[in-house]
C-alpha cells in the first residue's frame, strides 16, 4: 500500500509541476532518475502559479493532505504570503463515506441494544463531512415510555481505516520533508521535518474522540455561566475512541456575513466578544480552543443584540503554564506601550531566547520590525501579524519555537481574522489592552498577594492543628542533628590527632633510618645498629597508630 500511495503522490506532484520546487543544481540524483523514468507525467497546469498548483495538488491527494495544508496555512512565519493565502482556501468539505457504514461503526462501538434503545431517526446522509470524521443527526431518547425525554443530537464518526491511511501518508510526508530539508535552499528555515512531526502529533490527537470529549466538557464547564461562548453538551456515556455523541446546535456560520446582517446581529459586540473569548480562555483558564476556523464557529443570534459564539470540534486545544501566561501578557502590554526594551528583556528572562542574547541588539531588531507598523492607525494594525513578526525576529536570535505559542499564534490569527471580517473597524488593541492590564495587575501587587493568601487559606487551616507537632519534630530533629554533628566532629578530631601522631613517628623513624645508613661503615657499625633499632621501633608505632 505504501509503494502504491507513494506512486500516487509522486504522480500528483509531477502532474502539478511541483518538482520545480527542487533547485536544478541541487536536485538529488534519485529525483532526476524518477523524473526521467516517469517522462509521461508532465505538468498539466503550467499556466498556474506554483503556489496555486501546490494547493490544487494538496486537494487532489485527499483528506490527510488537506488537513496538513490547513495546518500549514497557519504557519505564516514559515511560508511566503502567496502560498499561505492559497492554502488558507482549503475547505473542510470532503467527500463523505457511506452513511450505512457509519451507522455500523456506531453500533459496533456502543452495541446494537444500546443504540436501538437510545437513538432514533438516524439520518444516513451526513450533516457535514471533514477530513478525519463526519457527523450524522439523530434523536436521543432517555427515560421510560411514560416520562420519555428526547433531544436532537449529532453523532461524530471517525472515517474507517483512516488511521492506517494517515500513518502511510505521514511516512511519505516525512520522506519528502527530509528531501526538502536537505536539498531545498530554504529547507533549514522552513524546517519541514519538524512541521511534519508537529502535524503527526496534532492529527493523532484528533483521531481519539475520547480526548475531544474531555476537551469539550472542560470548555463547556469554563463558560457555563458566561454569555460570550457556548460549547455543546456532550453525552460522555456514549462516547468512544471513534464515536462521539453531542447536543445538536443551531446557529449561523460565522462566515455567513450576509445572514448575520439580515438577522440584525450587533456585529461590533460580536467581534469584541470574539476577542474576549480568546483572552479569557488563554489568561483566565489556560485552556483554549486552538482550531477556531470559520467551519468550527457559529453564532447564536436568538437575541441579535446579545449574540453568543458557539464553538464545536474541540479536538485541538492549547494550554499555557503560569510563567508563559505572565510573560506573554507582559509582552503584549509592553507592545501596547511600545516598550521594546522590556519586550527584549522578557524574552531573555523567560528563556525563550538564549541567556547570552544581547538585549540591546534584540531590542533594536524588534524596534526595526514594529515601529513602521505603529505608524498606522491602531484599527489597521494586525495584532496577529505583530505576533508573527515578533516570533520571526526572535528566531533570528535562536529562539526555540514553543509548541503552545504556535497554537496560540494560530488561534489569535483565526480570531482576529473573524473579528475583522465581522466588524472591519475592530480595534483589537483597544479591546485587548484593558483586559491584559487588569490581568497583569491581578498577578502582581497587593491584590495578587491577597488572592494567593485566600487560595492557600484552606490548606493552611488544615495544617494549623499540626503546627505544634511539626515545630516540636523540627526542634527535636535539630537537636538530634546537632548532637550527631558534635559526635562526628569529636571523631574527626580524634582521627586527626591519630594521623598527626602517625606522621610524627614516621618522620622520626625515617630520619633515624637514613642516619643509620649514612653511618654504616666498617668502623661505625655499632652506632648504625644503635640508630636502626629505634627507627624500626618508630615504624612499628606508626603502623599501630
Amino acid at each position: 500500500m505504501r509503494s502504491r500511495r507513494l506512486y500516487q503522490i509522486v504522480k500528483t506532484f509531477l502532474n502539478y509541476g511541483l518538482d520545480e520546487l527542487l533547485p536544478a543544481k541541487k536536485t538529488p540524483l534519485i529525483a532526476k532518475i524518477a523524473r526521467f523514468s516517469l517522462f509521461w507525467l508532465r505538468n498539466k497546469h503550467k499556466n498556474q502559479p506554483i503556489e496555486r498548483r501546490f494547493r490544487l495538488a494538496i486537494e487532489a491527494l485527499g483528506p490527510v493532505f488537506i488537513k496538513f495544508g490547513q495546518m500549514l496555512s497557519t504557519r505564516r512565519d514559515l511560508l511566503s504570503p502567496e502560498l499561505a493565502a492559497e492554502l488558507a482556501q482549503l475547505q473542510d468539505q470532503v467527500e463523505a463515506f457511506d452513511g450505512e457504514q457509519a451507522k455500523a461503526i456506531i453500533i459496533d462501538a456502543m452495541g446494537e441494544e444500546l443504540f436501538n434503545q437510545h437513538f432514533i431517526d438516524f439520518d444516513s446522509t451526513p450533516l457535514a463531512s471533514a477530513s478525519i470524521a463526519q457527523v450524522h443527526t439523530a434523536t436521543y431518547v432517555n427515560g421510560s415510555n411514560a416520562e420519555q425525554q428526547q433531544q436532537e443530537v449529532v453523532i461524530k464518526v471517525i472515517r474507517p481505516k483512516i488511521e492506517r491511511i494517515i500513518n502511510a501518508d505521514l511516512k511519505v510526508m516525512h520522506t519528502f520533508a527530509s528531501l526538502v530539508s536537505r536539498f531545498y535552499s530554504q529547507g533549514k528555515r522552513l524546517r519541514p521535518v519538524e512541521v511534519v512531526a508537529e502535524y503527526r502529533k496534532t492529527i493523532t490527537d484528533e483521531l481519539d474522540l475520547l480526548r475531544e470529549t474531555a476537551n469539550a466538557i472542560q470548555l463547556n464547564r469554563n463558560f457555563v455561566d458566561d454569555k460570550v461562548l457556548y460549547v455543546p453538551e456532550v453525552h460522555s456515556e456514549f462516547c468512544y475512541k471513534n464515536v462521539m455523541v453531542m447536543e445538536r446546535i443551531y446557529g449561523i456560520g460565522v462566515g455567513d456575513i450576509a445572514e448575520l446582517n439580515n438577522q440584525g446581529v450587533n456585529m461590533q459586540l460580536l467581534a469584541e466578544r470574539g476577542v474576549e473569548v480568546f483572552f479569557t480562555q488563554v489568561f483566565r483558564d489556560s485552556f483554549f480552543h486552538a482550531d477556531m476556523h470559520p467551519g468550527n464557529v457559529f453564532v447564536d443570534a436568538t437575541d441579535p443584540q446579545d449574540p453568543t459564539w458557539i464553538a464545536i470540534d474541540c479536538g485541538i486545544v492549547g494550554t499555557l503554564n503560569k510563567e508563559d501566561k505572565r510573560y506573554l501578557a507582559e509582552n503584549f502590554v509592553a507592545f501596547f506601550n511600545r516598550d521594546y526594551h522590556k519586550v527584549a528583556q522578557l524574552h531573555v528572562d523567560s528563556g525563550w531566547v538564549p541567556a547570552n542574547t544581547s538585549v540591546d541588539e534584540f531590542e533594536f531588531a524588534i524596534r526595526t520590525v514594529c515601529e513602521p507598523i505603529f505608524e498606522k492607525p491602531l484599527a489597521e494594525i494586525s495584532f496577529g501579524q505583530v505576533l508573527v513578526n515578533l516570533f520571526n525576529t526572535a528566531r533570528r536570535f535562536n529562539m526555540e519555537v514553543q509548541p503552545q505559542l504556535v497554537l496560540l499564534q494560530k488561534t489569535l490569527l483565526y480570531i482576529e481574522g473573524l473579528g475583522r471580517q465581522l466588524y472591519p473597524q475592530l480595534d483589537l488593541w483597544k479591546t485587548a489592552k484593558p483586559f491584559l492590564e487588569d490581568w497583569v495587575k491581578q498577578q502582581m501587587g497587593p491584590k495578587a498577594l491577597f488572592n494567593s493568601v485566600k487560595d492557600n487559606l484552606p490548606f493552611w487551616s488544615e495544617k494549623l492543628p499540626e503546627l505544634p507537632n511539626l515545630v516540636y519534630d523540627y526542634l527535636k530533629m535539630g537537636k538530634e542533628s546537632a548532637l550527631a554533628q558534635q559526635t562526628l566532629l569529636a571523631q574527626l578530631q580524634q582521627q586527626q590527632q591519630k594521623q598527626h601522631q602517625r606522621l610524627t613517628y614516621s618522620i622520626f623513624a625515617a630520619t633515624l633510618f637514613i642516619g643509620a645508613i649514612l653511618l654504616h661503615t666498617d668502623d661505625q657499625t655499632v652506632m648504625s645498629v644503635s640508630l636502626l633499632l629505634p627507627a624500626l621501633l618508630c615504624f612499628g608505632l606508626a603502623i599501630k597508630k
Side-chain angles (χ1 to χ4, degrees), residues 242-286:
N242 61 340
V243 173
M244 179 179 178
V245 180
M246 73 197 86
E247 166 194 6
R248 183 179 183 180
I249 55 97
Y250 289 91
I252 304 171
V254 74
D256 192 350
I257 305 300
E259 182 60 25
L260 290 171
N261 283 323
N262 288 338
Q263 295 289 333
V265 173
N266 186 332
M267 303 295 261
Q268 179 178 354
L269 179 60
L270 182 62
E272 290 174 351
R273 281 186 170 178
V275 177
E276 183 182 347
V277 164
F278 171 76
F279 285 103
T280 300
Q281 289 183 87
V282 172
F283 292 103
R284 186 194 71 183
D285 303 328
S286 303

Side-chain angles (χ1 to χ4, degrees), residues 304-320:
Q305 293 306 306
D306 189 21
T308 300
W309 288 66
I310 304 173
I312 62 171
D313 197 350
C314 306
I316 306 175
V317 298
T319 60
L320 293 177

Side-chain angles (χ1 to χ4, degrees), residues 53-251:
R53 281 185 270 146
F54 188 87
R55 190 253 301 171
L56 293 172
I58 290 290
E59 287 182 336
L61 287 171
V64 179
F65 278 82
I66 290 173
K67 191 74 177 177
F68 178 70
Q70 291 169 349
M71 187 276 292
L72 198 61
S73 70
T74 67
R75 297 302 305 270
R76 293 175 179 265
D77 55 325
L78 302 179
L79 306 178
S80 67
E82 295 80 12
L83 182 55
E86 281 292 337
L87 293 180
Q89 298 181 37
L90 293 172
Q91 300 297 317
D92 274 340
Q93 292 301 321
V94 181
E95 184 179 353
F97 65 93
D98 182 62
E100 290 302 319
Q101 188 178 10
K103 184 177 180 180
I105 294 173
I106 296 168
I107 292 175
D108 183 63
M110 66 177 63
E112 186 171 5
E113 182 179 351
L114 198 64
F115 177 81
N116 292 334
Q117 180 182 352
H118 290 285
F119 298 96
I120 59 175
D121 302 329
F122 179 85
D123 191 347
S124 297
T125 302
L127 179 66
S129 178
S131 50
I132 301 296
Q134 65 188 38
V135 294
H136 294 260
T137 60
T139 301
Y140 169 61
V141 179
N142 191 23
S144 61
N145 293 332
E147 299 179 358
Q148 199 174 75
Q149 297 177 342
Q150 295 186 359
Q151 180 189 26
E152 290 185 87
V153 295
V154 294
I155 306 178
K156 185 173 184 177
V157 187
I158 296 290
R159 287 178 173 271
K161 301 179 181 179
I162 189 67
E163 189 169 359
R164 187 176 67 180
I165 296 171
I166 286 173
N167 289 332
D169 282 355
L170 284 172
K171 290 177 181 177
V172 175
M173 284 180 181
H174 186 272
T175 300
F176 279 111
S178 299
L179 291 173
V180 171
S181 179
R182 184 174 180 181
F183 297 105
Y184 184 43
S185 59
Q186 297 294 315
K188 290 184 178 179
R189 185 183 71 82
L190 297 177
R191 293 175 300 147
V193 175
E194 289 83 352
V195 170
V196 171
E198 178 186 331
Y199 176 57
R200 175 186 292 274
K201 183 180 182 304
T202 299
I203 200 167
T204 300
D205 288 348
E206 286 193 83
L207 287 172
D208 188 354
L209 293 184
L210 288 175
R211 179 186 290 269
E212 181 177 341
T213 297
N215 293 341
I217 292 172
Q218 182 64 52
L219 284 169
N220 180 286
R221 184 186 301 122
N222 290 344
F223 286 87
V224 68
D225 296 319
D226 207 323
K227 283 285 294 182
V228 297
L229 178 68
Y230 182 75
V231 178
E233 175 191 0
V234 175
H235 294 275
S236 56
E237 67 273 28
F238 301 109
C239 293
Y240 308 86
K241 184 177 175 63
N242 61 340
V243 173
M244 179 179 178
V245 180
M246 73 197 86
E247 166 194 6
R248 183 179 183 180
I249 55 97
Y250 289 91

